[in-house]
């Protein structure tokens, strides 16, 4: 693998070529390559030894556990061979997305034939011994996975979980105007929801500034045990479907009824040239100023499942059926006739024509491969870290809100962030994008529209309704979290930067996609030739505490819990309590590499607590004591610790601290705020973890800790489980308690409100004795009053709503309204 | 709400009607109904008081916090009015699925006009005071949510999270041959993945045995801040797309350019009659034996967003734009001209023509409503518990595997379950279905094909490849977890039973759908008129420990963690360790109501531990001591407790117990197995929780507990956090450690193997002293040897692979192979 950080040689992209029949010489190369790739694929699935079949095939040459998937592989190999022919002729930078990722043996085989595999894995040489290792390692203990995994050169897509081939492909194509992304979609995968909507990506891609995705629907007709839907509708319906999706479908059917392979090659080569010329024409038209949305070509590629494999096994149809899905001759080791079938199958590829006695690929066949980085397996876009450039980040300090005193001034944190992001967009016009499902403005980032637009290549209706829509822009909005996530993953994996702005509750829609990406990052950390890529950054706003418009169905803070199940080396969770901490946090996450960063931040007006200098120091520590909020005596342990994480919990905690200070001035209260949630964990469990000594210093080992937390309370217990004094930690968080429409009512519903926090303190500091009993009752009464007021007036009681930190000074100097605002009702807010 | 448990009067379903222009009388009713519903919708969003506008509208009549969504509502109301007209004329049992669920005010308005609302909420009467309450309660503290929530009569679909309208609709239609499901799909929702694939449901519905879904694509053009994709492609493309999806699209555009409402009504009534006649014809043809797949009608309904609302506000286009999405006059309370705009808007509906001075709906308009259960808001199918019949369950004891001694015999647990399910299917031919993404056979339930088939209404290719496919059948397989979940939810919500069989890792795909269903169940528990429905049952097989074919991308046991975040009253998690316990568990869950039951069970050959009698007792307790496996002395506390949950952890735990018994016979070991995970939790936290006393008796308060668990270890800590002695619990579980292809290598990779468990015990029982040091080294060596063997031979070391519980007797008497089987390589196994 080359390690250059320069952009790849793109050749002369989008070159047209004459559509002519394959020469016999080229045909022989293509077919030879295909047979070689098929042979190597079968070899990987079945063989432990005897890779060139120079000895008679015996039982012991066969792996004891046969694991893998044959069915999709010959089709993938066929396409790879034909793309190679075209890449060489057109010098077209191309990458290959394998939707049916379990066709791993095929992709490994092709990268081996191209030489790339041996370049990155020096022990898997291009000779007999290397081939033996190649075969043995596949789906073998200590070897490589059976999918197109991070270990596979040329891959940005594992295909383990189906549905994201096209999203990844388009993500790779954005801002890569010279790149062709050949994206094979399995017809099984085509049944998934995410894939079904991802066809519409063609309304977002820009024909001038972005690359081209060529979807190839691999219609081999069967899944594990069923036919596929798209394989069992008429060609007319399928054609209508693809045209309806905005494509020009090119249909290809080959390999059935014993069709001669040479004929199949000839026909497909013509079709591929027509398709690539069509693309070249669209590109040329677009460059010439035609801004009509093109009906991009796509290919319907119908070939038999398990093509070239056993036609029948034990009298049951195998080729062209679901019985080819995995390992057709599973008992080859123990059934002599199946062993013979396997031998016949392997022999059918005429291995002696493909490799010499040393296991070297025939020199003429090898000519089919492009050179250097034009090899799809060596295209730098598939090892995005090679191309990654640092973002040019404006100094976030310049975007700080003024905070004359803690609690002085109000801001909508995400709106402030939006100002900074505006300049991030301005300074990085071609390698940074913001993704979100129709919520960029709802999440208050609309300042970015001063310098960019939402990219949209469907119809326009005019400026009175199409605000901030344009054929090119840095903001990508489609009402599909799957698409946003998939696009962003593809964009990051090819060496760019971005963020995903989403409602907190609905980020669960991509739980499983996060899993797959986190696993990809974890594995790549251990692959030396894979270079680090930019982190996947979430901005979760419209969070669980402010679903006034929508209520219960829009509440779920559990994505954090989900994320924390993944390896500590990969995940980071931040809960900045105000605008300046959010700025500091986001500057940090946009600089980071190889993480998934989850940042949860509110969009509603809320008090500013920290000056920018304080915010920077606080974020650098990740958590810390807010001395100004507490009442402790220097050098003494406090009586109680009020801890908080998240903007709403922080507000309630400070209001509780204010109540305690006024009513129980002798009580020594410490306030600890947590920005970086992983700091709570043990340093042995997470790289950000605090040492026990530091933890004890902050939280004490024996004083009650009342912890107000943004999410489900259990996570705090989980993170602090092994800490000294963890049994003293009492957590208030989200309790799944249903719906309400005012902010304070919501925190009351979950017992996270200031009054309840005071009661928690009183109940946990027995030394307060009877003098606190009156205050306790006062708190109970205050809650009741607040709730009654809300039920009567439909808004929160002013004494709560308008509360500000007592030392805040003139709150009107900065910001935009009361702490619980009417802005929530200004429309354009929530789904 | 009627509380009859008989089936509804279906009238004469699928009646054709003459397509004739609306009479003036009917037109007046339809338009009056529509205006009334629109008026009530606006009233709910804006008004606190003065519901009939009999007084001048003042600031104080307007809610202080305006929360809701207007944009989609008038279109929903229009459709509801027209459907009512048709239902009355055709006596067609019909339900209404509101994809744009945030159009809640519209649905509430219609149910109020139909009288149903007042029947179930007796304080919201059909008079002025009732109307005031109706308005006030909407999106108000202590009131009702803004979505079409469980509180809304006639709803089985909240629409809070978008994407599932059609899946729910088809789920409702299956096995309800006389039911019409009118399913409104928002064009925002249409961009989601799940919705995009759910159009293909029409290839699964059976025209004779199932009901009919009429999709109505509500093309109002805008989302929160963007146009919609389907609103910005040509009609030709959209037509092709719908035909490609297998539908006959009927296009309707109305309400633009000041089109007269009467004309819009007339045109739509004709179109709707044509559509319903088309459906009636298809039904008649199917009944007559035509088994060609019909191209079911669907309607493209293009009307202005925010239709009849303010045309412009502050000079900006509002009707027919995204600015109508939520609350168009958000500052009506504080801006006098906006207050006037609101008044003009309300006046435009001519409320005095709609309601009399007592707030009673005009008697003629009221004639539009169907009677009784033909009202869509009172259709019993939307309160499925009314129609729910107990399943007829065969005695699961009859399907028991013989277990002569613990560990005697091997079974594939899910295969045994499949035998019982076969008879469940046989005994319940029209109200029980099995859903799964192509994995029913892979998960070893294929015995059901003895009595049923996979329902499939796309093309057939013949018996050599179409095994167990038929036009009607109890098994529903589509490669979309979203579809499986959505169909099953719709099926359950309309009063039937089922289960979802899925790979464990990929069940995360529907995390957010589970959230919404769990929230629905939680809320309905508190709604007296909602009757309990059957539980949503998962069978998660192909679990994390046996992903030999697929590896790392297919590993994630975190769905259990996700589920446990929901209310304890809703969720149950079971980890049966063998075949008989799985049978007993599944009998239990299929009898249950209002839960989500997660059952995780392996499909690979594994030892049987319990006879059926033992299994029943064990499952009834939920957890218990396996005396036969331990070495404790009656009346004394053990030295150590080996606890386990899950089939693979149980196997390793017993193997460890065997090692300890042989090598440290004096060590008093107790083995505890947990089937019902929630038993670990405190009885105050979960209804299944053990008392502390019982917990202490089982686990002791001071002895080390080495707990081998199926999932992420933290969950066990979480569940036992408050238990005595929880600091002594040491959990081994899944660690996210990457990939391997043999079972024992997998458990070693995660330190869950028998050798490591023995080491854990030695390290935690210091009293063992030096006599255990030798054994400890032996275990270290044994691991090393096992790992080396696996890496060399590609399969697990025989001493481990063939281990059986020493008292097991002749393991060949029962079952199908060695503990780690070749069956894993027989194809048809994993994705």
């Amino acid at each position: 693998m080359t390690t250059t950080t320069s952009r790849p040689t793109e050749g002369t992209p989008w070159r047209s070529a004459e559509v002519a029949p394959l020469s016999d010489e080229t045909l022989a190369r293509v077919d030879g390559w295909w047979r070689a790739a098929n042979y190597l694929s079968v070899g990987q699935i079945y063989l432990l030894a005897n890779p060139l079949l120079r000895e008679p095939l015996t039982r012991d040459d066969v792996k004891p556990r046969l694991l893998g998937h044959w069915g999709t592989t010959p089709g993938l190999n066929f396409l790879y061979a034909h793309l190679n022919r075209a890449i060489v002729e057109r010098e077209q930078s191309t990458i290959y997305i394998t939707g049916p990722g379990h066709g791993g043996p095929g992709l490994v085989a092709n990268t081996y034939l191209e030489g790339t595999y041996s370049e990155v894995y020096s022990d898997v040489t291009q000779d007999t011994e290397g081939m033996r290792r190649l075969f043995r390692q596949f789906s073998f203990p200590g070897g490589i996975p059976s999918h197109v995994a991070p270990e596979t050169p040329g891959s940005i897509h594992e295909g383990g979980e189906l549905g994201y081939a096209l999203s990844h492909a388009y993500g790779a194509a954005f801002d890569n105007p010279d790149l062709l992304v050949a994206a094979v979609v399995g017809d099984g995968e085509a049944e998934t929801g995410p894939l079904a909507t991802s066809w519409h990506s063609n309304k977002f891609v820009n024909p001038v500034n972005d690359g081209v995705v060529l979807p190839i629907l691999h219609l081999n007709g069967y899944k594990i045990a069923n036919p596929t839907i798209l394989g069992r509708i008429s060609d007319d319906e399928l054609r209508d479907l693809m045209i309806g999706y905005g494509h020009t479908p090119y249909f290809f059917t080959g390999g059935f009824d014993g069709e001669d392979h040479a004929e199949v090659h000839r026909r497909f080569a013509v079709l591929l040239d027509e398709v690539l010329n069509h693309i070249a024409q669209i590109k040329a038209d677009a460059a010439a100023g035609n801004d009509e949305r093109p009906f991009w070509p796509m290919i319907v590629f119908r070939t038999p499942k398990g093509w070239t494999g056993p036609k029948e096994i034990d009298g049951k149809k195998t080729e062209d059926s679901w019985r080819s899905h995995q390992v057709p001759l599973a008992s080859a080791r123990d059934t002599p006739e199946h062993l013979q079938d396997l031998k016949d199958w392997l022999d059918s590829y005429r291995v002696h024509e493909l490799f010499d006695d040393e296991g070297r690929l025939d020199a003429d066949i090898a000519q089919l491969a492009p050179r250097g980085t034009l090899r799809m397996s060596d295209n730098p876009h598939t090892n995005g870290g090679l191309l990654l450039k640092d973002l040019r980040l404006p100094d976030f300090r310049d975007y700080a809100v003024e905070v004359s005193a803690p609690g002085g001034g109000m801001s909508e944190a995400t709106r402030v962030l939006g100002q900074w992001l505006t300049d991030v967009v301005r300074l990085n016009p071609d390698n940074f994008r913001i993704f979100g499902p129709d919520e960029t403005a709802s999440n208050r980032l609309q300042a970015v529209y001063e310098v960019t637009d939402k990219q949209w290549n469907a119809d326009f209706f005019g400026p009175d309704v199409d605000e901030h829509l344009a054929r090119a822009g840095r903001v990508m909005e489609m009402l599909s979290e799957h698409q946003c996530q998939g696009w962003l993953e593809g964009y990051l994996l090819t060496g760019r930067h971005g963020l995903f702005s989403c409602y907190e509750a609905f980020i669960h829609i991509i739980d499983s996609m996060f899993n797959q990406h986190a696993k990809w990052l974890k594995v790549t950390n251990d692959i030396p030739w894979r270079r680090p890529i930019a982190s996947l950054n979430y901005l979760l706003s419209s969070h669980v505490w402010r679903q006034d418009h929508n209520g219960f169905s829009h509440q779920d803070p559990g994505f954090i819990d989900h994320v924390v199940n993944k390896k500590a080396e990969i995940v980071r969770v931040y809960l900045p309590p105000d605008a300046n901490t959010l700025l500091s946090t986001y500057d940090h996450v946009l600089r980071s590499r190889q993480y998934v960063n989850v940042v949860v931040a509110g969009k509603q007006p809320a008090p500013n607590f920290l000056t920018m200098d304080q915010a920077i120091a606080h974020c650098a520590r990740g958590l810390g004591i807010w001395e100004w909020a507490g009442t402790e005596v220097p050098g003494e342990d406090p009586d109680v610790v009020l801890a908080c994480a998240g903007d709403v919990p922080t507000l309630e905690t400070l209001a509780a601290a204010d109540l305690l200070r006024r009513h129980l001035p002798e009580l020594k209260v410490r306030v600890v705020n947590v920005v970086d949630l992983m700091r709570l964990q043990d340093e042995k469990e997470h790289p950000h973890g605090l040492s026990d000594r530091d933890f004890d210093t902050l939280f004490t080992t024996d004083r009650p800790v009342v912890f107000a937390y943004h999410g489900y309370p259990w996570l705090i217990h989980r993170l602090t489980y092994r800490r000294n004094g963890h049994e003293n930690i009492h957590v208030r968080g989200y309790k799944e308690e249903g719906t309400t429409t005012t902010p304070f009512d919501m925190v009351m519903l979950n017992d996270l409100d200031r009054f309840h926090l005071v009661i928690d303190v009183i109940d946990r500091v027995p030394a307060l004795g009877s003098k606190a009993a009156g205050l306790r009752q006062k708190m109970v009464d205050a809650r009741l009053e607040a709730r009654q007021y809300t039920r009567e007036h439909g808004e929160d009681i002013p004494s709560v709503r308008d509360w500000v930190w007592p030392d805040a000074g003139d709150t009107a100097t900065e910001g935009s309204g009361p702490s619980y605002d009417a802005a929530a009702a200004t429309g354009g807010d929530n789904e």
Side-chain angles (χ1 to χ4, degrees), chain A:
Chain A
M1 177 64 63
T2 52
T3 53
T4 170
T5 55
S6 66
R7 294 179 73 86
T9 311
E10 302 279 0
T12 312
W14 318 120
R15 185 190 287 184
S16 267
E18 192 195 350
V19 179
L22 283 184
S23 70
D24 287 349
E25 185 188 14
T26 310
L27 171 62
R29 278 184 194 159
V30 169
D31 187 63
W33 186 283
W34 184 43
R35 284 186 283 130
N38 285 341
Y39 180 82
L40 294 177
S41 302
V42 180
Q44 288 175 76
I45 296 174
Y46 293 88
L47 298 186
L48 263 183
N50 194 8
L52 286 169
L53 292 186
R54 294 302 196 251
E55 310 293 326
L57 184 70
T58 69
R59 174 184 193 284
D60 291 341
D61 296 334
V62 178
K63 296 182 180 182
R65 310 189 82 238
L66 292 172
L67 302 167
H69 300 77
W70 163 247
T72 188
T73 302
L76 295 173
N77 290 340
F78 183 97
L79 293 167
Y80 204 104
H82 278 265
L83 284 166
N84 268 353
R85 197 267 307 164
I87 290 167
V88 169
E89 287 179 15
R90 296 167 188 251
E91 297 185 359
Q92 174 62 56
S93 175
T94 306
I95 68 174
Y96 191 100
I97 304 276
T98 313
H102 53 272
L107 275 289
V108 169
N110 282 286
T111 66
Y112 178 75
L113 291 173
E114 291 182 320
T116 323
Y117 206 89
S118 305
E119 291 168 24
V120 299
Y121 302 111
S122 55
D123 58 329
V124 184
T125 42
Q126 290 185 294
D127 55 22
T128 309
E129 172 58 14
M131 196 186 294
R132 191 190 64 81
R133 292 182 184 201
L134 183 81
F135 288 2
R136 182 189 171 87
Q137 68 175 10
F138 175 79
S139 229
F140 199 81
I144 63 168
S146 67
H147 282 68
V148 185
E151 289 89 341
T152 316
S155 171
I156 60 165
H157 175 86
E158 168 142 2
E161 181 175 294
L162 300 174
Y164 320 119
L166 287 181
S167 303
H168 285 167
Y170 279 95
F174 293 137
D175 294 320
N176 275 325
D178 297 335
L179 183 66
L180 176 67
V181 185
V184 184
V185 177
D187 50 355
E189 172 169 29
E191 295 180 14
T192 67
L195 198 290
T197 202
S198 64
W199 297 103
H200 289 298
S201 300
N202 56 22
K203 281 97 190 174
F204 293 87
V205 73
N206 178 290
V208 177
N209 306 328
D210 298 327
V212 176
V213 174
L214 172 60
I216 303 171
L217 178 62
H218 189 189
L219 208 63
N220 71 20
Y222 297 93
K223 298 172 287 190
I224 304 180
N226 281 298
T228 61
I229 293 174
L230 298 188
R232 296 297 181 91
I233 60 177
S234 69
D235 277 2
D236 282 347
E237 272 178 88
L238 185 55
R239 178 175 291 109
D240 281 337
L241 184 64
M242 288 299 139
I243 294 173
Y245 273 133
H247 278 293
T248 302
Y250 287 76
F251 277 70
F252 183 82
T253 300
F256 293 93
D257 305 320
E259 187 185 12
D260 177 50
H261 290 170
E263 182 56 23
V264 187
H265 288 306
R266 282 192 203 98
R267 291 196 299 111
F268 189 76
V270 167
L271 180 131
L272 183 60
D273 275 332
E274 286 171 351
V275 165
L276 294 176
N277 285 352
H278 186 168
I279 290 172
Q281 188 61 50
I282 290 172
K283 273 289 192 179
D285 290 350
N290 178 352
D291 73 345
E292 278 186 39
R293 171 165 57 91
F295 276 60
W296 293 102
M298 61 80 59
I299 298 173
V300 177
F301 180 70
R302 193 192 291 265
T303 55
K305 184 151 190 158
W307 193 12
T308 73
K311 299 243 178 290
E312 283 196 350
I313 298 175
D314 298 337
K316 292 198 167 176
K317 177 171 174 157
T318 303
E319 191 194 54
D320 193 25
S321 96
W322 49 270
R323 296 187 190 92
S324 286
H325 184 77
Q326 286 183 330
V327 178
L329 295 163
S331 54
R333 204 173 141 100
D334 298 314
T335 312
E337 51 271 39
H338 286 184
L339 185 66
Q340 182 62 42
D341 288 345
L342 176 60
K343 182 178 179 316
D344 294 346
W345 178 9
L346 285 160
D347 283 346
S348 74
Y349 299 117
R350 308 193 302 276
V351 59
H352 55 280
E353 296 176 14
L354 309 173
F355 300 96
D356 66 18
D357 284 344
E358 276 69 52
R360 235 168 269 283
L361 179 64
D362 173 78
D364 190 65
I365 294 173
Q367 293 290 317
L368 191 76
R371 299 284 154 250
T373 57
L374 277 175
R375 292 176 298 180
M376 293 190 281
S377 55
D378 193 24
N379 192 309
H381 294 294
T382 64
N383 186 2
L386 288 175
L387 303 176
L388 185 66
K389 293 183 198 152
D390 289 345
L391 281 175
R392 299 172 62 195
L393 293 179
D395 190 335
F396 64 94
R397 295 168 190 81
D398 298 342
Y399 302 78
V401 296
E402 196 92 24
V403 181
S404 52
M410 312 280 293
S411 297
E412 294 154 293
T414 54
R415 193 186 293 275
V416 173
L417 179 68
Q419 300 288 352
W420 179 70
L421 286 176
T422 302
D423 285 332
V424 176
V425 165
R426 201 172 48 75
L427 292 171
N428 302 278
D430 64 0
N431 66 340
F432 176 73
R433 293 201 186 218
I434 297 170
F435 299 82
D438 196 28
E439 293 157 9
T440 304
S442 170
N443 286 333
R444 307 270 204 272
L445 303 177
Q446 60 267 60
V448 298
Y449 298 138
E450 295 165 17
V451 298
T452 192
D453 291 295
K454 292 175 279 193
Q455 183 159 319
W456 178 261
N457 282 268
D459 293 350
F460 288 80
F461 277 9
D464 59 341
V465 286
D466 289 347
E467 283 183 6
H468 313 307
L469 283 189
R471 295 226 173 267
R474 300 284 99 200
V475 178
M476 309 299 300
E477 295 207 328
M478 176 170 166
L479 210 170
S480 164
E481 286 78 2
H482 293 111
Q483 281 279 85
C484 295
Q485 173 85 14
W487 284 344
L488 175 56
E489 288 177 0
Y491 199 66
L492 299 174
L493 286 162
T494 47
R496 283 79 63 79
H497 306 261
L499 68 92
F500 181 0
S501 153
C502 189
Y503 283 17
E504 184 180 31
F506 297 145
I507 199 68
H508 273 303
I509 290 172
I510 55 77
D511 274 1
S512 63
M513 297 182 76
F514 155 80
N515 279 349
Q516 300 292 325
H517 190 74
K519 283 171 184 281
W520 182 281
L521 292 177
K522 173 190 180 300
V523 172
T524 56
N525 276 345
D526 297 326
I527 301 176
W529 59 267
R530 285 265 179 204
R531 300 279 287 270
I533 61 170
S535 300
L536 198 165
N537 300 308
Y538 294 101
L539 177 66
L540 305 184
S541 196
S542 304
H543 61 50
V544 62
W545 298 102
R546 293 303 302 271
Q547 282 303 333
D548 323 344
H549 260 272
N550 297 287
F552 196 40
S553 64
H554 284 52
Q555 295 166 13
D556 191 301
F559 187 65
I560 301 175
D561 304 69
H562 179 68
V563 160
V564 169
N565 271 339
K566 293 295 157 206
K567 279 285 172 192
E569 69 196 77
I570 302 300
V571 298
R572 305 287 181 269
V573 179
Y574 300 95
L575 295 155
D578 69 358
N580 286 338
T581 49
L582 176 60
L583 277 173
S584 174
T585 299
Y586 238 85
D587 178 78
H588 178 72
V589 301
L590 282 190
R591 292 175 190 279
S592 71
R593 300 283 183 273
Q594 290 286 111
Y595 297 146
V596 176
N597 294 305
V598 180
V599 182
V600 186
K603 66 185 188 184
Q604 307 290 354
N608 301 314
F609 296 115
L610 303 187
T611 66
M612 187 45 91
D613 285 345
Q614 292 168 330
I616 293 170
H618 188 52
C619 290
R621 281 192 300 260
L623 81 182
I625 299 170
W626 283 3
E627 290 87 358
W628 49 268
T631 50
E632 43 183 333
V633 178
E636 292 181 25
D637 263 1
D639 299 316
V640 64
V641 177
L642 293 182
C644 48
D647 53 3
V648 166
T650 297
L651 174 66
E652 292 305 315
T653 295
L654 288 179
D658 179 29
L659 286 164
L660 289 169
R661 171 203 297 229
R662 276 191 280 142
H663 295 284
L664 296 172
E666 71 288 7
L667 184 74
K668 288 174 288 179
V669 175
R670 172 179 295 174
V671 174
V672 175
N673 180 268
V674 181
V675 182
D676 176 353
L677 205 59
M678 296 300 102
R679 295 289 272 165
L680 294 177
Q681 212 164 7
D682 194 285
E683 61 187 337
K684 290 187 290 292
E685 305 256 349
H686 195 284
H688 284 198
L690 276 186
S691 69
D692 274 339
R693 184 184 166 142
D694 287 347
F695 188 92
D696 294 347
T697 306
L698 283 172
F699 291 97
T700 80
T701 57
D702 57 355
R703 302 305 154 95
V705 178
V706 175
F707 200 128
Y709 169 54
H710 172 86
Y712 293 108
W714 269 106
L715 187 61
I716 300 300
H717 291 299
R718 167 177 176 171
L719 296 174
T720 61
Y721 185 69
R722 295 189 190 285
R723 298 296 190 179
N724 296 320
H726 72 259
E727 66 278 4
N728 303 318
I729 300 177
H730 178 69
V731 187
R732 293 283 170 195
Y734 177 70
K735 295 205 300 182
E736 203 71 46
E737 270 308 343
T739 192
T740 184
T741 58
T742 78
F744 194 69
D745 212 41
M746 178 70 190
V747 292
M748 280 196 289
L749 199 61
N750 288 280
D751 298 334
L752 186 84
D753 59 282
R754 55 198 68 180
F755 305 128
H756 213 294
L757 295 177
V758 169
I759 292 170
D760 281 341
V761 168
I762 293 170
D763 291 349
R764 274 159 192 80
V765 185
L768 286 170
S770 61
K771 65 183 160 180
L775 178 61
R776 194 183 192 291
Q777 188 57 47
K778 211 176 267 190
M779 295 296 103
V780 171
D781 294 344
R783 292 189 99 222
L784 209 59
E785 187 194 356
R787 173 145 283 192
Q788 279 168 344
Y789 183 96
T790 304
R791 273 171 181 39
E792 195 178 329
H793 295 86
E795 57 186 340
D796 287 327
I797 193 167
S799 58
V800 164
R801 193 190 58 198
D802 302 335
W803 173 88
V804 290
W805 181 251
D807 307 329
D810 180 6
T811 61
T813 52
E814 191 70 31
S816 45
S819 63
Y820 297 126
D821 66 317
T826 55
D829 214 44
N830 281 0
E831 242 173 53

